[in-house]
Amino acid sequence: MKRDYEGDRLSCPKGQLNLSPPAAPVSRRLILASGLALAACGREPALSQPIPEPPLKSLAPFPIGTCVRAPDLEDPAYAGLAARHFSQLTAEWEMKMEYVVQPDGSFRFDRADAIAAFARRNGQRLFGHTLLWYANEPEGFARLDESRQSFEGALRNYVTAMVSRYRGLASGWDVINEPVMENGEGLRDSLWSRKLGQTGQFKVAFEAARAADPAAVLFVNDYHLESRPAKLRTYMTLIEQLLKDGVPLGGIGCQTHCWSELAPGAITATLKALAGFGLPIHLSEMDVSTVQGGMLANRAEAERRQARLYGEAIEAFAALPERQQFAFTVWGLRDRDSWLKRENAQDRPLLFDDAGRPKPTFAAIVDALRAR
Ligand code: XIL
């Protein structure tokens, strides 16, 4: 059922309700008739003000998150949407090494601090994303002169600086992001694995993060687990090994970047498989591309499937045991904010349209949460 929150306006369009003052003196009959007309519409005349859509965070028994960028939070419309609907914020990129670590090895926290301050002001949790990522190998580390400071020491120092800075506000951290190869045939090669070894990078990063904030839930996080069985298998094997090695892994991230053509049930099966470890699950970066799977030819069908996938994901997440419902996070606010737009301007992957109005994807999540 497609609910359009415009549809929550008075069911009697303004034209049918003559609200202008009558020419003749107001008779008792007229007052009664007006009251009956209004009652027929079920609501007091809102003078065509739409009934605002329900805040997502008020409907979910678990944190609902989104990713944000610090400069966007200076736009009142954007900030209002982020504050109204979400109970957790992830920095889209300003808490990554690519922003924090300067070429000379110094750190800059200005934008991460701005996002943290916004979250604090709005009673939202902050989620730390991400400490180590194969895609970020900043000069400050790559050029490290290990005669002065060991690589491991520099990495411990970085993790400690980041995690301790947001201690008490950050509910958790993606300690290592996307460790599994795209084709699932092993773990990625990275500056971190080359310097510390595959298992060593996890030990150093997780132990430093644990020491910096004993309360934070420490995650590993990856994507395309719903559509690549080999990748899911390797990810689960890695998780088993980390737990066996005593690495303080406290949660499992499933990014859920997908597209309209993803088979119904794939998200549900993946969450169930990952939940088998008994750890908290962060559905950490959901967006559903309406063009990547080639569905652009039939946009209406792509958007119907997209809404169904959002509904499936929230239902599957809500079906997890409560102690495993860490957070459900979408990767961006409005379609125009999505990173996917850079790849294809036609893409509409998120819950709100470019003007910040809720879409059928939003309604699918609301309906699923209300049906629980
Ligand atoms: C992306 C951001 O959305 C982009 O703005 C940035 O340029 C690159 O990173 N998986 C992740 C995220 O874990 O950090 C990525 O975010 C998207 C894929």
Side-chain angles (χ1 to χ4, degrees):
M1 176 192 78
K2 177 181 178 299
R3 179 190 291 127
D4 170 351
Y5 284 93
E6 294 302 304
D8 270 350
R9 291 173 185 277
L10 274 176
S11 53
C12 306
K14 207 168 52 171
Q16 291 176 6
L17 276 179
N18 176 359
L19 296 176
S20 52
V26 176
S27 69
R28 187 168 178 280
R29 175 195 296 268
L30 177 66
I31 288 172
L32 279 175
S34 305
L36 288 174
L38 291 176
C41 291
R43 282 196 180 88
E44 288 300 311
L47 298 180
S48 79
Q49 289 304 317
I51 308 292
E53 68 281 356
L56 280 181
K57 64 185 178 185
S58 67
L59 298 175
F62 42 77
I64 296 266
T66 185
C67 73
V68 293
R69 295 182 292 257
D72 292 343
L73 292 173
E74 289 161 25
D75 163 10
Y78 180 96
L81 209 55
R84 174 175 172 76
H85 290 287
F86 298 96
S87 46
Q88 179 174 285
L89 299 182
T90 300
E92 184 170 4
W93 71 284
E94 290 122 326
M95 289 177 77
K96 291 172 181 168
M97 282 188 180
E98 63 182 343
Y99 182 83
V100 174
V101 180
Q102 300 306 288
D104 65 0
S106 63
F107 305 149
R108 62 176 171 172
F109 296 111
D110 56 328
R111 290 193 179 184
D113 288 353
I115 293 170
F118 182 92
R120 198 174 275 115
R121 274 199 309 277
N122 291 285
Q124 298 164 311
R125 297 192 329 184
L126 181 69
F127 184 76
H129 176 78
T130 178
L131 296 173
L132 266 65
W133 189 25
Y134 79 93
N136 279 192
E137 299 183 0
E139 278 181 70
F141 272 101
R143 278 193 300 99
L144 201 64
D145 170 3
E146 296 186 44
S147 62
R148 289 183 304 112
Q149 184 188 37
S150 74
F151 181 90
E152 177 178 330
L155 183 59
R156 285 184 187 279
N157 178 50
Y158 173 75
V159 172
T160 303
M162 279 301 284
V163 175
S164 51
R165 190 177 187 91
Y166 303 104
R167 182 169 173 165
L169 181 68
S171 53
W173 285 86
D174 281 333
V175 177
I176 295 195
N177 194 39
E178 302 180 354
V180 179
M181 286 174 70
E182 190 67 44
N183 60 12
E185 290 173 10
L187 300 183
R188 288 183 193 274
D189 172 67
S190 70
L191 173 64
W192 325 109
S193 65
R194 287 192 297 276
K195 287 284 191 181
L196 300 170
Q198 279 299 359
T199 48
Q201 64 168 333
F202 288 94
K203 187 170 163 40
V204 169
F206 273 85
E207 286 178 358
R210 169 54 65 244
D213 184 351
V217 183
L218 303 180
F219 286 81
V220 64
N221 186 43
D222 222 320
Y223 68 95
H224 286 176
L225 304 171
E226 310 81 10
S227 53
R228 299 207 172 125
K231 193 166 188 182
L232 177 59
R233 276 195 301 275
T234 302
Y235 190 52
M236 293 178 70
T237 303
L238 168 65
I239 292 165
E240 275 169 344
Q241 191 59 52
L242 293 174
L243 294 172
K244 203 178 290 178
D245 292 349
V247 168
L249 176 70
I252 300 169
C254 183
Q255 293 183 13
T256 319
H257 293 291
C258 56
W259 50 91
S260 296
E261 280 185 319
L262 180 67
I267 294 173
T268 304
T270 303
L271 289 189
K272 275 186 184 156
L274 295 174
F277 289 100
L279 291 175
I281 302 291
H282 186 192
L283 195 154
S284 57
E285 305 181 16
M286 187 164 186
D287 47 29
V288 182
S289 171
T290 51
V291 295
Q292 276 173 5
M295 294 289 290
L296 187 60
N298 182 339
R299 179 185 287 283
E301 175 57 18
E303 292 180 352
R304 272 192 295 277
R305 292 188 189 198
Q306 176 194 45
R308 281 199 291 269
L309 286 170
Y310 273 108
E312 175 188 341
I314 199 85
E315 281 170 1
F317 187 83
L320 293 172
E322 201 173 312
R323 62 184 168 75
Q324 291 187 262
Q325 297 171 351
F326 179 79
F328 183 100
T329 296
V330 291
W331 204 242
L333 264 183
R334 305 159 304 188
D335 287 335
R336 57 187 276 195
D337 304 314
S338 172
W339 68 308
L340 296 180
K341 279 283 198 187
R342 283 176 238 160
E343 211 169 295
N344 186 322
Q346 300 290 320
D347 215 339
R348 296 179 185 163
L350 294 170
L351 305 183
F352 298 92
D353 68 16
D354 289 352
R357 289 172 305 215
K359 296 162 49 183
T361 47
F362 176 95
I365 287 185
V366 169
D367 290 347
L369 288 172
R370 282 180 165 155
R372 290 180 58 258

